[in-house]
Amino acid sequence: MVDSQYYLPNDIGISALDCREAFRLLSPKEQMYAHYLSRASWYGGLIVLIQTSPESANIYVLLQKMFRAQAPPQLEAAATAAGLSAEEYQAFLVYAAGLYANMGNYKSFGDTKFIPNLPKEKFKALVWESLAFKQSPGDMEALWGCCCESLYSLEDKQKQLGLGEKGISAYFSGNCCLEDAEFAQKFLDSKNLSAYNTRLFKTEVDGKRCYEVRLASAKKGEYPDEVCFGKHEFEDAVFFVKRGDYAFLMEKVCQNLEKAKDYAANDNQKRMLEEYIHSFACGSVEAHKEGSRYWIKDKGPIVESYIGFIESYRDPFGSRGEFEGFVAVVNKAMSARFAQLVNSAEVLLPELPWPPAFEKDRFLKPDFTSLDVLTFAGSGIPAGINIPNYDDIRQTEGFKNVSLGNVLAVAYATQKDKLTFLEESDKDLYIKWKGPSFEVQVGLHELLGHGSGKLFVQDDKGKFNFDQSAVRNPETGELISSWYKGSETWDSKFSTIASSYEECRAECVGLYLCLNKQVLSIFGHEGEDAEEVVYVNWLTMVRAGLLGLEFYTSESKSWRQAHMQARFVILRVLLEAGEGLVGLKECTGADGRPDAVITLDRSKIHTVGKSAIQRFLCRLQVHKSTADVEGGRALYEGYSAVTADGTHNFLHLRETVLLRKEARKMFVQANTYIKVLLFYEGSAAGLIQSFVERFPDDAEKVEAQLLEMTCMDSSCWC
């Protein structure tokens, strides 16, 4: 039962992201701009292979060589000759598609390892029977030898991403643990150096701890005017700050951004790209922040994009960013609704349940657009984004929100027979209103969730951004006694819980404000329809909280996915509210296997439900604003606990959730050429072919470089 979570099922949903019409409507200049930004994103996206696991790049190269020599239909004959059944060959294709879609052999959503659902001997037989092997037997045998053990290994530590004994992480050498991550963060803070674009490697010389902080950059070597590079004595250890991580790929990113500059629509786009190029060439996060400032100023572009080391979900410590790059085209009709929401924000923000002093001094109206994704390179594709993630910019200069329309259109379509844990009477309602309600939730989550709330800061010069003699904690009535100091950030202070805590806060804002009739009216929902949207939005959240148990590892008592942990916490809060608001009971399904049913009393959402979220949301914000790590961690980890105690046996429910889980959909993306878009079918074979044709000019060189980067650090994970 449990082992099935480590396979991708043969019938996994695979959908093509359709952007053909959006691309066709672009001018020739805009198409060229989108093309070169896409090229930069795809080259940079390969960095995720190196960031995910020590073996991911080797597996990727093995598969690329096989499929470049024989497309999936042609390779099928070799599979038959190697003794694979049709089901086993499909399992092989699904595994390959999964590796491409996740940019590694760990799920981007949940951080669980997945292995091929066919015997190891059959996989090997197919490699040996392939044309790629016949053309280069020595190379292919060596590649197989490099990755065959880790490809299938399900040792406890290798089952999920994590730090130390809790899992695998390529952000840190294998001998690092949480204490090393904390110590390195202290060093980075002392040098005012961001961890976003770094990895950490630990060695020991003459009994002394030595750490290499490696920055991602196209350039290698040191520059005398950049004081952070080189050797630093720090407490009882030595730190070496070096550049040049992923140098080849960073150079390819820079080259394509340089070409995109020629087709930029305005000076903001040009200056944005210049700063990105400087950042990726030299390893400067400050330059990326400067580029992000120009990006914020680029209001309402036809072609929207963002690129860099962005989200820190998959760093076990929560400070290092995974590379991603996206290129998308604005959907003007849907964007008009989001613009209305932005214009209403200053009226809606005071509705949030914390005192005015805990809200930003001024709401900086952001762009909020609905986009059709053309390219999204990285480990996965979200439904919405609120960026940049730099607190200092978000607090005082602004941010942008995007909702990814063509992702939403296919990602959350649900078949009734696959809809778990709901009463029959709720299923049709859920299917009808899930899309519209999720659209509302994404809008509120991104704009007024991530876009709200103030951080109290004392800067390096001792200046405060709040009145120490007046601001009181609404929970205690006392003057606040803690705040962020100097270079401290939300991520660096709250580290391991920061991502999930913030997602929980944003989800709560969405639940709370979706009760507002003005919000529902903006999205075109009035009267009974508006109430259905509210009901399904709240029902979706409590069901998601139950589904979240799939992403909890009981052995290490750890969560593997920030959003799902957040939704479980919300489920716990609403169950605790009592009065019959949420019901959760275990039962036996029609198939005779363990099952569960979750219910929501719609008559109590506006009373019991609203009151519970109001109290919890205020507590979340107070701990966040005041840098109260101890209080925030106690609150959040308390609700995150998965136990067999109390009214509900969540450990037992987790087994039921695993038994009935549905695999997350994968997306097939198009390829751009000069003013041409190549579209692929929504299948494992289509996803594979899209990657085979993604690097037409230099695939072999790219693969050689990936192998070289992996080989260089191979001893770090022994």
Side-chain angles (χ1 to χ4, degrees), residues 190-232:
S190 76
K191 298 296 180 186
N192 204 18
L193 196 61
S194 170
Y196 265 122
N197 63 343
T198 70
R199 293 196 292 163
L200 185 71
F201 297 83
K202 177 185 174 183
T203 54
E204 199 169 288
V205 179
D206 298 327
K208 194 169 191 177
R209 288 181 298 166
C210 297
Y211 296 93
E212 179 185 324
V213 176
R214 197 184 297 170
L215 275 65
S217 68
K219 291 180 179 178
K220 300 178 182 179
E222 297 171 18
Y223 292 79
D225 58 322
E226 297 182 47
V227 294
C228 276
F229 291 99
K231 182 179 177 181
H232 302 269

Side-chain angles (χ1 to χ4, degrees), residues 604-623:
K604 294 177 179 173
I605 293 173
H606 286 269
T607 53
V608 180
K610 181 179 181 180
S611 178
I613 291 297
Q614 183 178 36
R615 288 193 305 271
F616 183 61
L617 185 50
C618 184
R619 293 174 74 190
L620 287 175
Q621 184 59 48
V622 169
H623 292 308

Side-chain angles (χ1 to χ4, degrees), residues 4 115 131 239 311 337 368 389 475 525 593 612 694 704:
S4 67
I115 66 173
L131 180 58
F239 280 83
E311 302 294 353
R337 288 185 188 173
F368 196 165
N389 286 332
E475 296 286 307
H525 307 303
R593 300 190 300 170
R694 192 138 284 158

Side-chain angles (χ1 to χ4, degrees), residues 617-689:
L617 185 50
C618 184
R619 293 174 74 190
L620 287 175
Q621 184 59 48
V622 169
H623 292 308
K624 180 181 180 183
S625 289
T626 60
D628 179 10
V629 180
E630 189 177 338
R633 191 174 283 278
L635 173 70
Y636 199 67
E637 290 181 346
Y639 280 109
S640 297
V642 178
T643 68
D645 308 328
T647 311
H648 300 97
N649 184 339
F650 287 113
L651 285 173
H652 191 261
L653 280 162
R654 175 178 174 270
E655 298 297 316
T656 303
V657 170
L658 287 171
L659 180 69
R660 297 186 177 276
K661 72 182 180 68
E662 184 181 359
R664 194 170 172 84
K665 277 185 181 173
M666 299 192 289
F667 297 108
V668 183
Q669 297 186 59
N671 282 321
T672 60
Y673 294 90
I674 303 295
K675 298 179 186 175
V676 175
L677 188 77
L678 226 57
F679 191 73
Y680 303 86
E681 68 174 25
S683 67
L687 205 162
I688 290 163
Q689 200 58 33

